Amino acid sequence: MGTMKQSRSWIAVLVLVLSSLVGCHSSPKITADEVMRRLREVEAKTVSRHAQWEMDLQADIFQGTLVLEVWEQKPDRRRLEVVEASQADWQGTTAVMVGDQAWLYQPRSGRVTVGPVVKVRLPLVQDVLVWAEEIVIQTPLKQVRVQGEEQLDDRPAYKLVYNRDGNTATVWVDQTRWVPLQIEYDHPSLGHGRLRVRFLELNPSLGEERFSLTPPARAEVVRSGGETPQPVALE
């Protein structure tokens, strides 16, 4: 009996020793620098993008959920379309940006607004999307830390915490594709909320028709600033 106990003790010691040796040679945990480097490499290689984002937004002008479909062709073409919304009057709202010009169609008012991109914007939604994209890629490394790893829809992801100029965001990054899968944020003027990718296609072929706007024939077209309605070329 004593010999058996001694054998078990030696086996336990051997297991501990082997475990410690394996631990010494295991790969170190990934750093925020490495994740950010991979994110930036993918972004640099991306010339076009097609995605759908599920958005939960809590701000003064909108409190609810929506699904935003996005087409983007670098350097300066983008189309944003609200395909689902908990507030029905937001559904179908579409913004198209080409160069320094933008078109915004709002079904609730039956109006198309045309003007410079700095003035014609999809309310809240566009600002949240642009800010989220900027903070994920442009935040200085010293303001980013890796909090751990999680599974999102069976996809392994690194969980990063960003703290930039008092604005905070938590970002889940796909460990295979090196793209954001989910972003939770807290911002003094944009409120708080969550973006979660429904699908994402990198470098698809996008036709020019994606970046033109054809509203219903009855739509009223106005210049930014509320001037008298007038005929405006939309394409």
Side-chain angles (χ1 to χ4, degrees), residues 46 82 221:
T46 300
V82 179
V221 181

Side-chain angles (χ1 to χ4, degrees), residues 53-93:
W53 288 95
E54 298 173 357
M55 305 178 76
D56 184 343
L57 307 175
Q58 302 299 320
D60 292 339
I61 68 170
F62 182 91
Q63 295 185 4
T65 59
L66 57 81
V67 175
L68 182 71
E69 191 157 6
V70 182
W71 295 265
E72 180 184 3
Q73 183 74 50
K74 292 182 180 180
D76 58 6
R77 294 173 182 255
R78 178 175 282 193
R79 182 188 184 100
L80 310 176
E81 186 171 342
V82 179
V83 295
E84 299 175 25
S86 59
Q87 296 185 23
D89 54 0
W90 280 69
Q91 188 158 336
T93 300

